[in-house]
Amino acid sequence: MSEALLYLLQQLINGLTIGSTYALIAIGYTMVYGIIGMINFAHGEIYMIGSYISFIVIAGLLGMGMVALPVILLIALIVAVIIASTYGWTVERVAYRPLRGSNRLIPLISAIGMSIFLQNYVVLSQSARDVALPPQISGGWTFGDPQLFEVSLSYMQLLIWVATFVCMTLLTLFISRSRIGRACRACAEDRGMTNLLGIDTDRTIAMTFIIGAALAAVAGLLLGLYYGVVNPFVGFIAGLKAFTAAVLGGIGSIPGAMLGGLILGVTEALTSAYFPSEYKDVVSFGLLVLILLFRPSGLLGKPEVEKV
Amino acid sequence: MKQFSRTLLSVGTALAIMGSAAAVQAETLKIALAGPATGPVAQYGDMQKIGVMMAIEQLNKAGGVNGMELEGVIYDDACDPKQAVAVANKIVNDGIQHVVGHLCSSSTEPAADIYEEEGVLMITAASTSPTITEKGHKLIFRTIGLDSLQGPFAAQYIVNSVKPERMAIIHDKQQYGEGLATAVKNEVEKAGITPVMFEGVTPGDKDFSALVAKLKKENVDFVYYGGYHPELGLILRQSREKGLEAQFMGPEGVGNPDISKIAGEASEGLLVTLPQSFDQDPANQALVEAFKAKGEDPSGPFVFPAYSAVQVMAQAIEGSGSSDPYEMADYIRNNTFETTTGTLDFDDKGDLTEFSFVVYNWHADGTKTPAAQ
């Protein structure tokens, strides 16, 4: 392979890794939108909290002298998912449920308030500084000609791909096969009718928030391990990117969120690769504008039907 | 009016002291301390804070300044230009006329415009962007060297000691980082080194894998980074993971122990230009002990410049016999000051006429040693 091709391959690997995590966070946005037609602006903070909790658990277990890394990661994952889900559920209870049925803008504002609250709450309880964790999973494969360009794929990147793939598969199965999944889809289609048919829609909506938060916690753990740092402000940028991914793929559509995440990640990596990297955001958000101009409902979104 | 009554008051105070010979302190002079107390670069704000607070404490212990007791009031701008403007207005509204700060150049610049307009004296101990003092302001000073000194200094070291074959310059698109990066670029180009890359990254970004791959493809052997430690820490860490073997160098904005926490082993051998270590100066050992006794770390690059900023203010008040910002500013321009950072002499713009930097080798445990020339 030539140098240019190896370089392209390396950038695709980088892009797919970032894209996978965007996709994981984007799911939370898209599911909530699909069901109640609102954007959960506190979602990025849930991701940030997931990251913090996994850091605290990992550091704690390492400090207690535990050495088995898979066990540590598993415990961190479980704890992070449980606590982040609790936060997700609480956000719904506090910022959405009391306002259900009111003007659409009102829960939007309360969600933004929730986001600011959570960010500052972490600033105050954990300090505003970067918290760092030494690399836990290091090493990887390299291939290609060392004389030309060596492509590297780290174990961590592979773990991110695999974990994203597994989460997405499980989620798709859950939504299409399980009872709660069916209730979710019914809610998305017609909430009033679903309610009339005897399904507790409040519970279903709470469930959506919990699922979204759990996936955000997985992303929090993975990205925390990958980058090795977390601060109270990471949720904002990650949330913005994931939200973009969700809109790009068609908000409300789960495969759309996955596709949108991957496209956004790869676009960012390729832009940084072939143009000065300061144009990264210009190109990816320009792409978003273009797609929305020609496909207002996103790549895989269904055109919005005016409900009477 | 307020000014007049304050002058009257201090005259009265002076008379009272003379009369009774008892040092009764009737007035406190508030000094605002503006900088990031929260946010990603709060540790630099801490350096400034401990320096200022120590100076105030020691001056008060020695009997205050012209019979006035100093009091430090902390304002948090979080290194955010918008918040800095709000903070500056608040300081003006609170009636404070003396400010040490701000810290980030991008915060100091808009705040300085407000202070100048409202007649508040400002001395920054950390902002190094040249543009801050280029507007002909009368009341704005600094006790730290400029990017326009630090950039060429770093460039000299790169040209003479590093001699890179393929050099890249990365910056964070902010006033401080890009300003330094541009200064370094101009200077190395004069010496015949053309950087193969000159690019910006987004502050707050976490993923630099695409950038690292690009550096690797360009076979870069030396990278100068203009910016702060959170981004450079991640770039170092990701470079190490991707097998990029290049020497990195950065300004004082990256030189604090947090970079070692973020980058771990990858921070070993990083080159950093820092103001000369005033805490190593034998003349300052008593002060260093005083910091240590309070459990504070005096080794940060802004601690001593912040201390000397307060010293300059105190000496200007004593020398000019007034705490009026305009009279103090005149005095500061026309005199030299004995401080913990040496004898300070200010030019017409309000900058130091002389300020020396040193290149250090950073280590993975967060310490530093002077680099070989």
Side-chain angles (χ1 to χ4, degrees), chain B residues 123-187:
Chain B
I123 304 183
T124 175
S127 295
T128 52
S129 167
T131 55
I132 293 168
T133 48
E134 269 170 5
K135 297 177 185 167
H137 287 342
K138 294 274 169 290
L139 301 176
I140 307 301
F141 297 90
R142 64 179 127 204
T143 54
I144 189 123
L146 273 66
D147 297 345
S148 52
L149 296 174
Q150 187 176 184
F153 176 78
Q156 284 308 313
Y157 184 84
I158 294 167
V159 171
N160 297 331
S161 301
V162 183
K163 302 187 183 76
E165 305 218 326
R166 294 182 69 80
M167 173 180 178
I169 299 179
I170 313 290
H171 58 83
D172 66 357
K173 296 192 285 193
Q174 306 221 55
Q175 195 166 12
Y176 168 71
E178 188 166 1
L180 266 169
T182 313
V184 169
K185 176 168 176 273
N186 293 341
E187 211 63 26

Side-chain angles (χ1 to χ4, degrees), chain B residues 320-364:
Chain B
S320 66
S322 157
S323 61
D324 175 66
Y326 292 97
E327 285 180 34
M328 284 171 67
D330 275 346
Y331 187 85
I332 293 174
R333 282 208 170 72
N334 297 323
N335 289 281
T336 58
F337 297 84
E338 289 304 323
T339 69
T340 54
T341 54
T343 307
L344 302 185
D345 183 21
F346 295 87
D347 64 13
D348 277 347
K349 287 178 357 187
D351 292 329
L352 292 177
T353 50
E354 225 178 290
F355 194 83
S356 51
F357 290 95
V358 182
V359 180
Y360 287 96
N361 266 320
W362 202 263
H363 300 296

Side-chain angles (χ1 to χ4, degrees), chain A residues 190-236:
Chain A
D190 188 335
R191 183 141 44 99
M193 191 62 200
T194 313
N195 216 351
L196 282 178
L197 290 175
I199 291 168
D200 187 346
T201 48
D202 274 348
R203 227 184 107 219
T204 314
I205 292 172
M207 203 59 211
T208 339
F209 274 83
I210 290 174
I211 294 170
L215 290 176
V218 176
L221 170 72
L222 290 174
L223 278 189
L225 285 173
Y226 184 43
Y227 298 135
V229 291
V230 60
N231 64 46
F233 314 104
V234 294
F236 177 73

